[in-house]
């Protein structure tokens, strides 16, 4: 029973071993389906591995290697946020854009087995327990199919346990259309919402979790239908058959379903934590809500540093987002927020009206009075952590008698950046007249690990309660917020606006911004066009609603999917060269200026339109001749 006890412990954490085969079981035949599924403990054992493999892009996720990969201590080096411009990563920009051949049909088979076998032991449960478990099974299946849908579009829908010895024409299932795929997910989640309980033990889902997934999935489907027409007009076979692309006529249907699901969650016992706090308390409130459980949590994925068996129940976020030595015992930080990200919240006050850089007596004066949510998300120079403060500097100018534009984003050919005037370091210890050039955490040429390449560090999810010694290796156990109440309000707002219910959307955005401590937004009565996608206008108010989603959900692994389903990734990431904002001391004035530059690693990348969908794994196509590859691959 010892190993069973450990499996149940990891189930309660929301993370589990891969299958029952890791247990020391009695001889084969003792735990048959009836015995395993005939008790609540047996059910926990069965669903444990299913929860563990849900397609949740958490702290340990890699867009090139997947959900459970061997080198998950390097997760931040392969961080998905680096592909969409949230951060500059240690590795390349679009390394994982084509995916990692996600193919969870072994897990789907296990769910189908549960759905088929459970009725045979129904008498062993109360009606409420049985309904909740069968609903949970449909939720799990929907989640696996959602992982497929957001990558590939329509894929084979298998809702029975296939006989491996059946004829090939039965086993080789054709792809469903993308619309059919999302409607299948919808039906499973509707069943789950109708049958699951409103509460569950730690780590397991409820009907509200099913509704949260419904809201997100239906919103994606609505976007694809409205803005994804480039695929349905393609001569490619996958597009012509509807495997990718959803008819525009279905957009309103899916947006309505997204609103209904969000309202279902809104009717539950959740809240926007700190919504009515004083402005002075909003920054710390936003910091703390990512470090503990709150009533904003619809569903979280738990981690633990003390789980048995060497299971992947911990992560390295605290070490790999902060510099080593004073802040962590990790080799160094790996990801850094971009200037584009920071200026989604507000313009940095670093330039005077005449175009000259604004002067500061102290670097920390620059960020005083910023939006609390921004300050809770990003570390600026001078902010404290673990008994130290961040020391960020790029270097020195002997003098600076020009405009911001004269710096030409840091290029060495600009006259003002000549080596005789601008002094920058090529290593972390280089000095000028006995003073470190770059600052202890500042940018230096060639530095990609441990020193910021953009002028900022990540703060969201960083546990300030840990010591530097604890923040390293697999020392982190902060839970990952899979679904938050704030996301439900944002889903609701976007879908409502798309349906023409604009005031409803504005009121929801106002709530999110009020909790953030942000300035009041005044929607435009006659919004202008920002751009057009698939002959559909994205106006200024809709763009603001989308940007609010970026601001609120930054570093929560959602932006990559957002810009793909909005069909704007190629627009946002066209020869994208992330910017930095770097402080310099002007020696002849003894004052600081902040210069907008290209990121120190000089990363630049362009999104290929084929990456709106992942490549269907070629190995699976070789096994099933009825599969069709996605366009442009």
């Amino acid at each position: 029973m010892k190993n069973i006890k450990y499996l149940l412990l990891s189930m309660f954490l929301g993370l589990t071993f891969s299958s029952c085969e890791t247990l020391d079981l009695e001889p084969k035949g003792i735990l048959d389906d009836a015995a395993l599924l005939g008790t609540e403990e047996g059910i926990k054992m069965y669903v444990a591995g299913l929860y563990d493999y849900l397609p949740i892009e958490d702290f340990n996720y890699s867009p090139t290697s997947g959900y459970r990969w061997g080198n998950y201590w390097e997760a931040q080096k392969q961080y998905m946020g680096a592909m969409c411009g949230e951060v500059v990563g240690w590795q390349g920009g679009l390394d994982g854009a084509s995916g990692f051949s996600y193919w969870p049909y072994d897990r789907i088979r296990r769910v189908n087995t549960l759905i088929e076998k459970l009725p045979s032991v129904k008498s062993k449960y109360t009606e409420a327990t049985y309904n909740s478990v069968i609903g949970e099974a449909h939720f799990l299946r929907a989640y696996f199919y959602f992982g497929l849908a957001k990558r590939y579009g329509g894929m084979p829908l298998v809702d029975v346990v296939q006989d491996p010895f059946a004829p090939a024409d039965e086993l080789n299932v054709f792809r469903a259309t993308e619309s059919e795929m999302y409607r299948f997910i919808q039906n499973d989640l509707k069943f789950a919402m109708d049958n699951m309980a409103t509460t569950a033990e730690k780590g397991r889902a409820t009907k509200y979790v099913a509704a949260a997934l419904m809201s997100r999935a239906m919103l994606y489907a609505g976007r694809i239908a409205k803005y994804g027409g480039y695929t349905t007009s393609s001569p490619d076979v996958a597009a012509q058959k509807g495997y990718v692309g959803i008819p525009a006529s279905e957009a309103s249907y899916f947006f309505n379903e997204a609103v209904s699901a969000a309202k279902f969650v809104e009717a539950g016992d959740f809240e926007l934590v700190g919504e009515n706090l004083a402005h002075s308390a909003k920054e710390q409130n936003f910091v703390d809500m990512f470090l503990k459980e709150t009533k904003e949590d619809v569903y979280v994925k738990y981690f633990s540093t003390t789980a048995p068996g060497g299971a992947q129940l911990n992560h390295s976020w605290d070490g790999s987002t902060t510099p080593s030595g004073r802040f962590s015992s990790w080799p160094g930080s790996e990801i850094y927020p971009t200037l584009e990200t920071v200026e989604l919240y507000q313009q940095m006050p670093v330039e005077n009206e005449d175009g000259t850089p604004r002067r500061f007596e102290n670097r920390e004066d620059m960020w005083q009075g910023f939006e609390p949510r921004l300050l809770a998300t990003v570390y600026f120079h001078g902010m404290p952590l673990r008994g130290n403060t961040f020391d960020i500097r790029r270097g020195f100018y002997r003098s600076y008698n020009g405009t911001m534009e004269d710096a030409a984003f840091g290029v060495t050919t600009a006259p003002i950046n000549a080596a005789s005037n601008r002094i920058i370091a090529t290593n972390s210890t280089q000095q000028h007249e006995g003073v470190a050039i770059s600052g202890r955490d500042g940018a230096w040429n060639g530095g990609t690990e441990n020193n910021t390449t953009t002028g900022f560090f990540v703060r969201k999810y960083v546990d300030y309660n840990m010591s530097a010694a604890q923040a390293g290796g697999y020392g982190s156990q902060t839970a990952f917020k899979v679904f938050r109440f704030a996301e439900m309000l944002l889903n609701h707002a976007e879908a409502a606006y798309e349906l023409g219910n604009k005031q409803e959307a504005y009121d929801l955005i106002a709530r999110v911004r009020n909790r953030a401590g942000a300035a009041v937004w005044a929607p435009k009565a006659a919004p202008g066009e920002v751009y057009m996608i698939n002959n559909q206008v994205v106006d200024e108010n809709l763009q603001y609603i989308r940007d609010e989603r970026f601001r609120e959900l930054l570093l929560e692994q959602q932006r990559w999917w957002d810009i793909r389903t909005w069909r704007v990734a190629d627009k946002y990431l066209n020869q994208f060269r992330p910017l930095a904002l770097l402080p310099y001391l002007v020696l002849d004035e003894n004052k600081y200026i902040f210069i907008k530059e290209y990121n120190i690693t000089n990363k630049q990348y362009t999104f290929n339109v084929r990456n709106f969908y992942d490549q269907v794994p070629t190995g699976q196509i070789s096994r099933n001749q009825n599969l069709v590859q996605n366009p442009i691959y």
Side-chain angles (χ1 to χ4, degrees):
M1 287 296 294
K2 179 176 71 173
N3 288 321
I4 292 177
K5 178 178 69 176
Y6 284 166
L7 181 67
L8 297 182
L9 170 63
S10 59
M11 173 66 241
F12 295 142
L13 291 171
L15 295 161
T16 52
F17 300 101
S18 60
S19 72
C20 317
E21 280 125 23
T22 59
L23 304 176
D24 292 332
L25 299 179
E26 295 297 323
K28 185 177 180 180
I30 296 297
L31 285 180
D32 59 12
D33 287 336
L36 187 62
L37 302 183
T39 67
E40 290 192 43
E41 185 175 88
I43 288 290
K44 291 178 186 178
M45 292 172 59
Y46 195 91
V47 302
L50 297 173
Y51 273 94
D52 194 19
Y53 279 87
L54 286 181
I56 296 169
E57 290 85 24
D58 58 35
F59 300 112
N60 292 335
Y61 172 74
S62 162
T64 61
S65 303
Y67 296 100
R68 291 182 62 85
W69 55 300
N71 295 333
Y72 68 104
W73 59 273
E74 289 191 322
Q76 276 62 66
K77 287 187 178 181
Q78 302 183 27
Y79 189 60
M80 190 165 68
M83 297 197 305
C84 58
E86 287 185 319
V87 295
V88 170
W90 190 86
Q91 294 189 335
L94 289 170
D95 291 346
S98 294
F100 60 95
S101 298
Y102 181 61
W103 205 253
Y105 282 96
D106 55 341
R107 305 295 157 182
I108 292 171
R109 180 182 176 86
R110 292 193 66 189
V111 181
N112 286 338
T113 299
L114 176 60
I115 292 172
E116 288 190 12
K117 297 287 186 181
L118 198 62
S120 67
V121 293
K122 184 176 182 179
S123 61
K124 296 181 181 294
Y125 297 97
T126 65
E127 183 176 1
T129 299
Y130 174 84
N131 288 342
S132 190
V133 171
I134 198 73
E136 183 178 26
H138 283 80
F139 160 77
L140 291 168
R141 186 168 67 182
Y143 216 140
F144 286 118
Y145 273 117
F146 179 56
L148 286 164
K150 68 184 183 181
R151 288 174 168 83
Y152 307 117
M155 295 305 292
L157 290 172
V158 181
D159 60 358
V160 297
V161 180
Q162 292 181 313
D163 179 357
F165 301 106
D169 60 349
E170 292 182 22
L171 296 176
N172 294 335
V173 180
F174 285 89
R175 293 179 66 172
T177 68
E178 190 164 12
S179 176
E180 290 169 341
M181 189 83 163
Y182 276 101
R183 288 176 185 267
F184 182 90
I185 292 167
Q186 176 194 21
N187 288 336
D188 261 357
L189 292 175
K190 181 64 168 63
F191 185 93
M193 291 163 63
D194 289 343
N195 287 277
M196 294 176 75
T198 57
T199 60
E201 61 193 316
K202 191 173 182 177
R204 294 178 76 172
T206 67
K207 62 175 56 192
Y208 293 115
V209 181
L213 178 58
M214 174 85 90
S215 179
R216 187 185 292 179
M218 296 301 100
L219 182 61
Y220 283 12
R223 294 169 176 173
I224 293 165
K226 184 169 183 179
Y227 300 104
Y230 86 96
T231 52
T232 54
S233 62
S234 166
D236 189 274
V237 174
Q240 289 301 303
K241 289 184 175 293
Y243 301 153
V244 293
I246 299 174
S249 59
E250 298 183 34
S252 293
Y253 171 80
F254 285 118
F255 285 136
N256 270 305
E257 292 300 306
V259 169
S260 295
K263 286 182 176 179
F264 188 95
V265 180
E266 291 165 31
D269 189 24
F270 305 99
E271 62 184 50
L272 203 59
V273 172
E275 186 171 7
N276 298 313
L277 283 175
H279 186 85
S280 60
K282 289 181 183 290
E283 176 186 339
Q284 194 61 45
N285 172 71
F286 202 81
V287 169
D288 289 339
M289 61 184 266
F290 289 94
L291 303 179
K292 61 186 180 182
E293 294 183 67
T294 74
K295 293 193 72 173
E296 181 150 341
D297 301 335
V298 180
Y299 187 64
V300 302
K301 184 173 182 178
Y302 294 97
F303 292 82
S304 171
T305 57
T306 59
Q312 294 180 11
L313 302 179
N314 47 14
H315 59 88
S316 305
W317 182 261
D318 288 280
S320 56
T321 55
T322 54
S324 65
R326 296 181 302 141
F327 299 107
S328 78
S329 58
W330 196 239
S333 50
E334 314 290 355
I335 55 174
Y336 312 100
T338 64
L339 177 60
E340 290 87 348
T341 285
V342 173
E343 290 201 323
L344 277 169
Y345 297 85
Q346 57 197 85
Q347 291 294 306
M348 297 296 97
V350 296
E351 189 172 346
N352 295 316
E353 289 186 5
D354 63 0
T356 59
R358 181 181 171 188
R359 268 59 175 177
F360 296 88
E361 296 286 345
N362 301 291
R363 284 164 282 176
E364 55 268 36
D365 292 343
M366 189 270 289
W367 49 265
Q368 299 302 315
F370 278 9
E371 177 186 308
R373 178 176 52 181
L374 170 58
L375 295 176
T377 302
V378 175
Y379 276 120
F380 294 82
H381 166 85
M383 295 178 75
L385 174 65
R386 299 171 187 147
N388 292 285
T389 58
F390 287 91
D391 177 17
I392 302 170
R393 183 173 58 242
R394 172 63 164 142
F396 306 118
Y397 277 100
R398 297 185 188 279
S399 63
Y400 198 101
N401 300 315
T403 66
M404 179 78 74
E405 189 174 299
D406 291 333
F409 297 102
V411 300
T412 57
T413 54
I416 206 164
N417 293 336
S420 59
N421 187 50
R422 185 179 68 163
I423 303 165
I424 54 178
T426 57
N427 63 64
S428 59
T429 60
Q430 193 170 345
Q431 295 186 341
H432 171 70
E433 297 180 357
V435 179
I437 295 174
S438 67
R440 298 183 69 170
D441 311 305
W444 50 273
N445 286 359
T448 58
E449 191 172 32
N450 203 46
N451 289 65
T452 179
T453 63
T454 65
F456 314 106
F457 287 92
V458 169
R459 189 178 186 187
K460 183 179 276 191
Y461 278 121
V462 172
D463 188 352
Y464 61 88
N465 298 302
M466 301 176 73
S467 68
Q470 292 171 322
Y474 297 117
S476 298
Q477 57 184 355
T478 304
F480 183 80
K481 311 287 186 177
V482 183
F483 297 108
R484 288 200 288 128
F485 186 67
E487 185 202 341
M488 298 302 104
L489 300 183
L490 292 165
N491 293 351
H492 184 170
E494 181 185 334
Y497 192 88
E498 293 281 15
L499 292 166
N501 302 322
K502 297 183 178 181
Q503 189 59 51
E504 183 179 352
Y506 301 155
D507 292 344
L508 293 163
I509 295 299
R511 288 187 62 187
V512 173
R513 290 186 61 76
N514 173 60
R515 192 273 294 279
V520 175
W521 173 47
K524 296 188 176 181
E529 177 184 321
V530 179
Y531 48 75
M532 184 175 289
I533 302 290
N534 189 31
N535 296 318
Q536 301 293 327
V537 172
V538 176
D539 66 32
E540 293 174 280
N541 290 341
L542 177 57
Q543 186 61 48
Y544 195 95
I545 290 169
R546 291 179 173 186
D547 287 345
E548 192 62 36
R549 185 180 185 87
F550 286 165
R551 289 183 280 265
E552 178 68 23
L553 303 178
L554 183 70
L555 300 168
E556 296 180 50
Q557 302 279 42
Q558 294 206 49
R559 185 170 180 175
W560 174 249
W561 307 113
D562 285 341
I563 63 175
R564 278 177 51 159
T565 52
W566 285 325
R567 297 300 191 253
V568 296
D570 57 330
K571 180 181 293 291
Y572 280 31
L573 305 176
N574 181 23
Q575 298 182 20
F576 179 61
R577 195 174 180 185
L579 291 177
L581 184 66
L582 300 170
Y584 289 84
L585 179 63
V586 181
L587 293 173
D588 65 353
E589 300 178 42
N590 197 33
K591 292 183 179 179
Y592 277 94
I593 60 175
F594 287 79
I595 299 296
K596 295 181 180 181
E597 300 187 13
Y598 296 118
N599 67 93
I600 299 304
T601 51
N602 208 27
K603 284 185 168 57
Q604 180 174 336
Y605 46 96
T606 294
F607 182 92
N608 189 316
V609 294
R610 74 180 187 180
N611 294 131
F612 282 123
Y613 293 95
D614 286 5
Q615 181 181 24
V616 178
T618 55
Q620 300 303 329
I621 293 177
S622 68
R623 295 182 181 93
N624 177 2
Q625 68 273 18
N626 292 330
L627 290 179
V628 173
Q629 186 56 270
N630 277 335
I632 323 178
Y633 285 101

